[in-house]
Amino acid sequence: MSNSADSPKILISDTAVPDIFMVGYMQDLSKEAICMYLRLLGEGSDRDFGKDMLVSISGFSKEVTDCSITELVKADLLCTKNNKTFFIVDIKQREVDEYCRYVAAKGIDGNGLELKADDGQRNSLASSINKSHYAGKMSYVFYRLVDTCLYEYEFEPMVVYGLFNEGERRKILTSPRLMKDLAYQWKTDGITTQAKLNEILERDRHVEELVKLMGKLSRRRLNGVDIERITRWVDTFDISIEMADYAFRCNEFRGNITLKDVEEKLIQWLEADIKNYDQAVIFEKENEKINKSKATRRKGKTNVYRTGAEMKALERQGEPGSIIKSEDAGVINQISGDTGSADGDGNDLLRMFGD
C-alpha cells in the first residue's frame, strides 16, 4: 500500500492577481520581472523573502533575478528590509489609502491647503491623463499628484500633462514614488510654465541628437561622462548639430578622436567668437592657409631633402666674389625650378669671363 504523502498531486490552486497590477504596472515591466512577481504572489503575499530564496523561486540565474528585483523595487511592487529581505507591497491597500486621501483632498488637507478637486479644468486634465496614459484606470495616487502639481506646485495644466508624458518616456509612469520625485524636481528647477517646459524639452531633445551623432561618428556607445560633456556643450556653447559634426571632422587627422578633442575645437571657436557653422568653415580655411604658408617658409629655410651638391652650390653662391661654376649653375637652376636650356642665362653669364 503506497503512502498518500508520496502520491502525485494535481496543481489546481489559484493565485489572485490584483487588477491594478495588470492595468497600472505590468506594461512597464520586463517578462522576467512579471514572472518573478507572479511567482512571489504564488508563494504568499504576506511573507518575507531572502535573496537566496528569491533566486530559487524565480527559476532564473542570479543576474537575471537581481535585475528583476531591481525592476520590482523601482515600480514600488517590492520593498526591502535593510537590503536583506524583501516583501510584496499591498498595492490594493495602497489604492484604498490613496482614494481616502483623494476624497479628503476635496476639502482641506493636513497642511491647510485647499485642493479644488471639483474644478472643471482640473477634472478635464485628470480625465485626459487617465485615458491617454492609464487606459482609463489611473490609480488615485496619481489623481492626488495632479492636484499637488496644480495647486501646491502651481504648474500650468499643460506642464502637468507634460509631466506624465515625460514619465511615460522614462518608463516610470506606474511608480508613484518616482513620479512624485520627478514632479518635485521640476518644481525645484522652475519648470512650472509651458514656455519653460518647451525650453527644457527642446534642450533635452538637442542633447539626445548630439549623443546619437557623436556615438555614430565615434562608433561606440557613449557613457555617462560623455553625455555630461555633450550636455555642457549645449548649455555652454549653444552648439548646433552641424558645428558638432564639423568639429569632429576637423580632428580626423588624429588616429583616435575623443570627445575631449572635439570640445577643444569648440572652445577654440568660442574664443574666436565663432557663432555658426559658416563662420567655423571660414575660420578653419584661413587657419589652413596660414599653416601651409608657415610650412612652406620652414621648408625653404631648412629643406632636409636637399642633396649635398645642392647645399654646396647655394653656399658658394652666397660667398663674396665667388664665381658660379657651370655645374653649380645647373644645380641652382634645378633648385629654383628654372628649366631653361643650357644656352640660357647661365651660359651667358659664364661667357662674360671667356671660354
Side-chain angles (χ1 to χ4, degrees):
M1 184 174 180
S2 62
N3 190 341
S4 60
D6 297 330
S7 301
K9 296 181 180 180
I10 302 175
L11 189 61
I12 57 174
S13 57
D14 299 315
T15 298
V17 180
D19 287 346
I20 190 173
F21 168 76
M22 291 186 285
V23 300
Y25 296 87
M26 189 170 65
Q27 65 270 23
D28 293 327
L29 297 174
S30 67
K31 177 187 68 176
E32 292 78 11
I34 294 172
C35 290
M36 183 82 173
Y37 183 73
L38 296 179
R39 285 170 177 165
L40 291 178
L41 287 179
E43 291 292 326
S45 59
D46 57 350
R47 59 178 296 187
D48 294 349
F49 303 92
K51 285 189 175 180
D52 292 338
M53 184 182 296
L54 289 173
V55 174
S56 175
I57 292 172
S58 71
F60 301 123
S61 66
K62 184 178 183 303
E63 292 74 15
V64 174
T65 301
D66 288 343
C67 291
S68 299
I69 292 172
T70 300
E71 277 192 70
L72 295 175
V73 170
K74 185 178 178 181
D76 292 327
L77 291 168
L78 202 64
C79 282
T80 179
K81 294 179 180 178
N82 300 322
N83 202 29
K84 294 181 179 179
T85 60
F86 297 83
F87 63 92
I88 300 175
V89 175
D90 189 344
I91 56 178
K92 291 196 294 184
Q93 182 63 53
R94 183 165 64 194
E95 182 74 357
V96 171
D97 292 342
E98 290 299 337
Y99 175 74
C100 293
R101 295 190 185 98
Y102 166 73
V103 172
K106 291 182 178 180
I108 305 285
D109 73 354
N111 298 319
L113 176 69
E114 184 176 359
L115 302 180
K116 306 172 184 178
D118 58 343
D119 181 81
Q121 187 180 40
R122 175 260 177 214
N123 288 340
S124 177
L125 173 63
S127 176
S128 179
I129 293 172
N130 180 25
K131 292 177 181 178
S132 59
H133 294 295
Y134 296 96
K137 296 185 178 181
M138 184 168 73
S139 171
Y140 282 102
V141 66
F142 297 115
Y143 283 98
R144 173 72 172 163
L145 180 60
V146 170
D147 287 338
T148 300
C149 290
L150 284 174
Y151 304 118
E152 182 178 348
Y153 296 165
E154 298 182 341
F155 286 2
E156 291 182 357
M158 287 308 297
V159 176
V160 180
Y161 195 86
L163 177 75
F164 284 85
N165 285 339
E166 181 66 12
E168 182 173 17
R169 189 185 72 84
R170 297 189 185 191
K171 299 186 183 302
I172 62 172
L173 198 58
T174 58
S175 173
R177 176 176 58 83
L178 295 178
M179 286 297 295
K180 288 177 181 177
D181 290 344
L182 179 61
Y184 183 77
Q185 185 62 51
W186 279 23
K187 172 183 174 294
T188 303
D189 294 341
I191 308 174
T192 60
T193 66
Q194 182 67 41
K196 183 65 175 178
L197 176 61
N198 290 341
E199 176 185 334
I200 295 299
L201 293 180
E202 176 62 24
R203 175 248 197 190
D204 291 346
R205 183 195 62 78
H206 194 36
V207 170
E208 289 180 0
E209 288 181 346
L210 285 174
V211 169
K212 184 178 179 180
L213 173 67
M214 290 296 115
K216 179 180 179 181
L217 292 175
S218 60
R219 297 181 181 179
R220 66 184 181 88
R221 185 180 183 86
L222 303 188
N223 56 33
V225 176
D226 295 327
I227 295 174
E228 288 180 6
R229 185 186 294 274
I230 291 174
T231 302
R232 186 167 62 249
W233 297 354
V234 174
D235 294 340
T236 304
F237 306 142
D238 191 23
I239 193 70
S240 67
I241 294 292
E242 293 78 14
M243 288 184 71
D245 180 85
Y246 188 51
F248 187 95
R249 300 187 187 282
C250 284
N251 284 280
E252 286 182 339
F253 65 92
R254 303 180 188 273
N256 182 28
I257 306 174
T258 67
L259 294 193
K260 184 175 181 295
D261 298 326
V262 179
E263 183 167 301
E264 288 175 354
K265 176 59 66 176
L266 294 175
I267 292 175
Q268 183 184 16
W269 291 346
L270 182 68
E271 292 174 347
D273 197 30
I274 303 299
K275 300 183 183 300
N276 56 54
Y277 170 77
D278 292 335
Q279 291 177 347
V281 171
I282 294 173
F283 177 83
E284 290 301 318
K285 286 183 177 179
E286 289 298 323
N287 271 354
E288 184 179 359
K289 289 181 182 178
I290 293 173
N291 291 335
K292 283 184 177 180
S293 177
K294 289 180 179 178
T296 301
R297 288 199 298 270
R298 286 196 299 269
K299 182 178 179 181
K301 291 180 180 179
T302 57
N303 189 347
V304 296
Y305 298 105
R306 286 175 180 165
T307 65
E310 291 173 344
M311 294 303 295
K312 288 180 181 179
L314 288 174
E315 288 173 1
R316 283 195 294 268
Q317 183 188 22
E319 293 176 357
S322 61
I323 297 176
I324 301 177
K325 299 179 180 180
S326 59
E327 61 269 21
D328 289 348
V331 170
I332 293 172
N333 286 339
Q334 184 178 6
I335 296 173
S336 62
D338 187 358
T339 58
S341 66
D343 294 332
D345 294 340
N347 286 342
D348 289 343
L349 182 63
L350 291 174
R351 280 197 292 271
M352 293 174 63
F353 299 94
D355 294 333

